[in-house]
Amino acid sequence: MFTFRNIFKKAGIVLLASLSLSILSCNEKKSRGKTTITASFYPLYIMLLNITEGADVEVGMLAPSDTGCLHDYQLTTKDMQSIEESDIIVVNGLGMEDFLDKVFEAKQEKTIVAGKDFIVTDDNPHIWVSLTGAIYEVNAISQALCELDEKNAEIYAGNAEKYIAKLEALKDEMTEKLLPSRGAKIITFHEAFPYFAAEFGLEIASVVEREPGTAPSPKELNETIEAIKAENEKTGNKIPLFAEPQYSSSSAKVIASETGSAVYELDPCVTGELDKDSYIKAMKKNLEVLEKALPRTEEAK
């Protein structure tokens, strides 16, 4: 017989069954002894996918993969729950996750700071954007995981060694292919590239948007345009402009139209596919863009 009472009764049975399955799943995970590791954001998550492959772990991240840099990120209730339930937390450090400072005061024993003791420039935390910085962080994460989770230590160490070898090979390839443009000037739209530029001998002539998504004032935009015009005239080359796929390129287009400089994209690897090879793929694409965009310089001749 059709009654609302029967509907609610059936709904209650379904809900109870769902809750039971959820509890069983949680207990099953605990019984298997899986180590739960949570990255603060995307680039560290990709490192963890490589380091933990084949280990008895569950890897997650706090900020969604399309967040980008964490300048304005705010912790959610779900984040707090993930932090509480995680065995190990992996953060970049160096000021990237200021919003987590108070949270981790009580959780230092299970927190890995991947950028700890890295020599920074102007307090800039974007060290993973250079291959050298990425290698440093992979090595730091692996060593710390081996200490915190000894049962998977052999896997972590072996995976890190293989991944670092890939990153070293890519660094050598990019260094060789960008050698003809050593000393070339570029303009970026976010302060994410100082380590990347230094690694390949490039000079950042200007940074247009100090904070991503914060457009320069008309005065700042005009000053940038005039400076680029002067530099273009001085060198005889048009300094290329590099926007980022994560943010609007409207300011770049205005500058390009006024100076004749072309607009390209460089990826700081803060968003992307949830694939362990995504960082290497993004860097190879950056290499292709730079080979197309950069002039041959006297310094490299």
Side-chain angles (χ1 to χ4, degrees), residues 130-183:
S130 76
L131 273 299
T132 298
I135 291 167
Y136 182 95
E137 293 200 301
V138 169
N139 187 56
I141 293 169
S142 172
Q143 289 186 8
L145 283 177
C146 288
E147 294 178 6
L148 292 172
D149 185 27
E150 292 183 1
K151 70 178 184 295
N152 288 305
E154 187 174 345
I155 295 175
Y156 297 147
N159 285 342
E161 184 178 356
K162 292 176 183 177
Y163 190 45
I164 287 173
K166 291 180 181 179
L167 296 176
E168 291 280 12
L170 179 56
K171 177 183 172 182
D172 291 343
E173 178 188 357
M174 293 182 71
T175 299
E176 180 181 352
K177 290 185 175 179
L178 293 175
L179 187 61
S181 298
R182 193 165 189 84

Side-chain angles (χ1 to χ4, degrees), residues 42 46 128-129 131 163 170 174 193 196 245-246 265-273 275-290:
Y42 179 78
I46 298 303
W128 71 88
V129 185
L131 273 299
Y163 190 45
L170 179 56
M174 293 182 71
F193 293 96
F196 180 93
Q246 293 84 8
E265 278 190 347
L266 277 182
D267 191 348
C269 305
V270 290
T271 62
E273 297 178 356
D275 177 89
K276 68 184 183 69
D277 295 322
S278 61
Y279 177 85
I280 288 178
K281 289 177 182 177
M283 281 296 169
K284 286 185 174 180
K285 186 174 180 180
N286 283 342
L287 173 59
E288 293 175 3
V289 170
L290 288 169

Side-chain angles (χ1 to χ4, degrees), residues 60-266:
M61 62 180 151
L62 297 179
S65 60
D66 60 353
T67 301
C69 280
L70 303 177
H71 304 286
D72 299 314
Y73 188 73
Q74 299 292 324
L75 278 176
T76 66
T77 302
K78 183 180 178 181
D79 291 337
M80 294 299 294
Q81 182 178 356
S82 295
I83 291 169
E84 186 61 33
E85 294 176 353
S86 295
D87 296 309
I88 301 170
I89 310 293
V90 180
V91 301
N92 184 79
L94 308 176
M96 178 56 69
E97 297 100 345
D98 285 341
F99 62 94
L100 290 174
D101 285 351
K102 291 184 178 179
V103 174
F104 291 132
E105 284 178 3
K107 300 182 180 296
Q108 293 181 14
E109 72 284 352
K110 69 173 186 178
T111 301
I112 297 172
V113 182
K116 183 179 179 181
D117 296 328
F118 189 88
I119 300 175
V120 297
T121 301
D122 297 327
D123 294 323
N124 192 305
H126 300 83
I127 64 175
W128 71 88
V129 185
S130 76
L131 273 299
T132 298
I135 291 167
Y136 182 95
E137 293 200 301
V138 169
N139 187 56
I141 293 169
S142 172
Q143 289 186 8
L145 283 177
C146 288
E147 294 178 6
L148 292 172
D149 185 27
E150 292 183 1
K151 70 178 184 295
N152 288 305
E154 187 174 345
I155 295 175
Y156 297 147
N159 285 342
E161 184 178 356
K162 292 176 183 177
Y163 190 45
I164 287 173
K166 291 180 181 179
L167 296 176
E168 291 280 12
L170 179 56
K171 177 183 172 182
D172 291 343
E173 178 188 357
M174 293 182 71
T175 299
E176 180 181 352
K177 290 185 175 179
L178 293 175
L179 187 61
S181 298
R182 193 165 189 84
K185 295 184 178 182
I186 64 174
I187 297 168
T188 65
F189 281 75
H190 176 201
E191 291 185 315
F193 293 96
Y195 305 107
F196 180 93
E199 185 154 83
F200 301 116
L202 306 177
E203 180 184 341
I204 298 178
S206 180
V207 177
V208 179
E209 296 179 3
R210 296 288 169 176
E211 292 291 334
T214 304
S217 67
K219 180 182 178 182
E220 291 171 333
L221 192 59
N222 185 63
E223 289 174 349
T224 300
I225 289 171
E226 293 305 315
I228 294 172
K229 283 181 177 179
E231 193 64 37
N232 286 347
E233 185 176 348
K234 176 182 176 182
T235 62
N237 293 316
K238 304 292 185 183
I239 301 178
L241 313 176
F242 292 97
E244 298 170 31
Q246 293 84 8
Y247 307 110
S248 170
S249 60
S250 57
S251 296
K253 291 176 181 177
V254 172
I255 294 172
S257 67
E258 294 292 328
T259 64
S261 293
V263 179
Y264 302 90
E265 278 190 347
L266 277 182

